[in-house]
Amino acid sequence: MRFIDLLDFASTSLRGSRSRTLLMILAMSIGVAAVVVLTALGEGARRYVVNQFSSLGTNLVLVFPGRTETAGINPGMLLGQIPRELSLDDAEALLKSPAVKRIAPLTIGTSEISRAALNREVVVLGSTSELLTVRHMSLGQGQFLPAGDIHSSASVCVLGNKIKHELFGNESGIGAWVRLGDRRFRVIGVMARQGESMGFNTDEIVIVPVSSAHLLFNTSGLFRILVEAKSRDALEPAKRAAEKILMERHNNERDVTVVTQDAVLKTFDRILRALTLAVGGIAAISLAVAGVLIMNVMLIAVSQRVKEIGLLKALGAPAAEIRKLFFAEAILLSGIGSVAGLILGEIGVLAIGKLYPSLPVVAPWWAVLAALLTSLVTGVLFSVWPARRAARLDPVTALAGR
Amino acid sequence: MIQFENVSRSFLVGDQKVAALRDINLSIAAGDYVSIMGPSGSGKSTLLNLIGLLDRPTSGTYRLDGGDVTALNDEQQARVRSQKIGFVFQSFHLVPRLTAAMNIELPLILAGIPPAERKRRVAELLENYGLNDRADHRPDQLSGGQRQRVAIARATSMRPAVLLADEPTGNLDQTTGREVIKLLEALTEQHVALILVTHDPAIGGRAKRQLQMVDGQIISQT
Ligand SMILES: Nc1ncnc2c1ncn2[C@@H]1O[C@H](COP(=O)(O)OP(=O)(O)OP(=O)(O)O)[C@@H](O)[C@H]1O
Ligand SMILES: [Mg+2]
């Protein structure tokens, strides 16, 4: 029997029992669509996080006060010491390393901002002029923090886009005075609208020089230091240099945490990839369920078509050919089912993309391939038994319909 | 062409052995017209199934065209069936979802004959059996006589040397039955051996050779 005729004959028997065929195709396509949609969601989440991270800046090394990854207990903790804080001089010292291009110290706090009768609570970020470049932020109007001495506490501020609108409406606001806590600041710039990034809304912050922030909050420590390495290759040297410089400055104690942004990113990447795999795998179980369904329906088909099988044998079809006929049916079913499932899944992915435009949902190619393969393999695997049963029928009893 | 030597076939029913055929010796030549008659349960269908290689004898040898076909494996027997043997059944056994033309084409498809040749032969058979205007009808849209004509066309599509018919008129009225028998008889003129099982003496009596079976044995031959 020619291959084309095999498919043709199999398709006549599929068309012969429509509801059964549709049911099986539905089961298969739901399985495939589930794999496509769920892995697309997982992959979307992963890409979202990766994008967010790279929008934070490139070639970044982050320095935190305190040591988070040491195993065991820090002796200082037993003595009730709080970890030594990161100072502005610590931050400046990092620039000694040839691997470091720029640094931006960060301190953070909340305060009340007011202008005339208007006031609200805001997050105040203390930093330097370098923050703009290091963090890939963009300025809307006016200027950013002035460059110069890191210790100078100029009373100037840059407003987040939304804050500016709340306080000044459509006026530019540049040059006006606002009150932060009990100090007055002159507005010198407004950030461009940026929206949320890593759970931090840059539209709702106020940026002031780091020393001014220290005065405002009556502190001297830094929340973290953002270090931009000269290049991607300089990331590790910059990280080691930062560790070394800070250890020397802190009486040879390793009391800071230095991580490259890449390391953080890789961890997220790994976790989210594993998650995608896991949900994809769970969805694939529905394909196995579809496979069991196919097997059941095929077994029923065999018993319903006993006479036909007997006839085919009488007409000279060997057992192998009968098996192939049932395999062809299973392959057609799961093939059509997977294509339908792919279309269904892609529609689902498109719909999700429309609902959540910020989530870059795309089904990864390996998941699509795996779904297709799984459905074809389950289709064939679960039809082995029915096909063998059909092929083994004794022609005389089969013709008698027994 | 067909030679049975001491062929027996028995079935195990529970732990009882039922002898359906006992020591059958028979030879049938190309173009022979043989009818088999006998009471129910006498082994007529069993004999036909053995000749058609749908079943294997318990003992004895069966030679077809000189070769011992009992020694062949299932696949080889299937090939012999495809090439040399045609079946016509009492209940037609047409595939219900296929049209008349497709039913006729089925043995050709199974044998892997190229489509062009298939179309030619099917057209010829539809013409010969007066089924031209029924080609695209499914079996449930055909009368009994038309169904049996489709079945005969199908049985002859591979141009077999032997045609086995087990009560081909059993489900038909007398006139239609006669027409069907005439179509089968016409085949013997083309050197096809026709072996016909029937209960109807009027039909069986038309054959050149008539076998009478009782209790698994051929008791008389004419
Ligand atoms: N598969 C089987 N299992 C057990 N016994 C069988 C089987 N097939 C046939 N027999 C027995 O073999 C004997 C002959 O049966 P067979 O079908 O050949 O009779 P028949 O002459 O064709 O009868 P009928 O005219 O009713 O068709 C019967 O006794 C029957 O019971
Ligand atoms: Mg019988």
Side-chain angles (χ1 to χ4, degrees), chain A residues 228-372:
Chain A
E228 187 182 327
K230 287 243 162 72
S231 65
R232 208 184 155 72
D233 294 333
L235 262 176
E236 277 304 313
K239 178 187 171 208
R240 278 195 299 274
E243 277 171 343
K244 187 161 166 275
I245 291 167
L246 292 174
M247 212 164 110
E248 276 163 10
R249 292 180 57 86
H250 291 189
N251 303 331
N252 278 334
E253 253 186 71
R254 285 176 150 269
D255 56 1
V256 295
T257 304
V258 182
V259 292
T260 61
Q261 189 191 19
D262 271 25
V264 181
L265 184 59
K266 268 192 197 122
T267 310
F268 269 99
D269 197 67
R270 246 198 339 267
I271 293 171
L272 288 169
R273 224 179 251 281
L275 196 76
T276 305
L277 261 174
V279 292
I282 291 167
I285 291 175
S286 66
L287 280 178
V289 174
V292 174
L293 187 71
I294 284 197
M295 178 165 72
N296 252 303
V297 177
M298 280 293 200
L299 283 174
I300 295 169
V302 169
S303 54
Q304 276 173 346
R305 277 159 51 196
V306 162
K307 281 191 182 177
E308 179 186 325
I309 294 161
L311 172 79
L312 291 174
K313 289 199 156 184
L315 295 183
E321 208 83 327
I322 309 262
R323 266 201 305 274
K324 275 194 233 156
L325 275 175
F326 280 85
F327 277 144
E329 267 184 50
I331 290 174
L332 273 180
L333 272 179
S334 42
I336 296 169
S338 4
V339 171
L342 271 189
I343 294 170
L344 210 69
E346 290 298 341
I347 290 173
V349 167
L350 264 164
I352 293 169
K354 280 265 183 316
L355 279 176
Y356 305 99
S358 60
L359 200 64
V361 274
V362 177
W365 64 269
W366 52 262
V368 171
L369 202 72
L372 288 182

Side-chain angles (χ1 to χ4, degrees), chain A residues 42-170:
Chain A
E43 179 74 1
R46 190 184 70 82
R47 287 191 188 194
Y48 178 77
V49 169
V50 170
N51 288 348
Q52 294 283 299
F53 260 97
S54 40
S55 76
L56 284 184
T58 35
N59 306 332
L60 281 192
V61 175
L62 310 173
V63 182
F64 310 83
R67 191 130 183 102
T68 51
E69 45 188 275
T70 36
I73 301 166
N74 188 319
M77 282 155 70
L78 289 179
L79 294 172
Q81 282 176 339
I82 43 165
R84 187 198 299 263
E85 54 188 20
L86 277 169
S87 69
L88 280 179
D89 294 327
D90 285 340
E92 274 199 306
L94 296 178
L95 284 170
K96 282 188 293 187
S97 160
V100 172
K101 192 170 177 189
R102 310 185 175 90
I103 58 141
L106 269 187
T107 177
I108 200 163
T110 55
S111 174
E112 195 179 67
I113 187 168
S114 57
R115 182 227 168 196
L118 299 167
N119 68 78
R120 66 161 284 177
E121 192 85 353
V122 283
V123 174
V124 177
L125 216 60
S127 192
T128 62
S129 61
E130 303 280 342
L131 180 69
L132 195 68
T133 5
V134 172
R135 263 286 325 254
H136 289 185
M137 291 169 144
S138 49
L139 192 67
Q141 314 158 37
Q143 309 162 283
F144 198 66
L145 301 177
D149 185 7
I150 197 170
H151 292 282
S152 100
S153 50
S155 290
V156 293
C157 69
V158 178
L159 301 181
N161 203 281
K162 191 170 170 208
I163 302 289
K164 184 238 125 184
H165 276 278
E166 283 179 10
L167 297 181
F168 295 98
N170 287 330

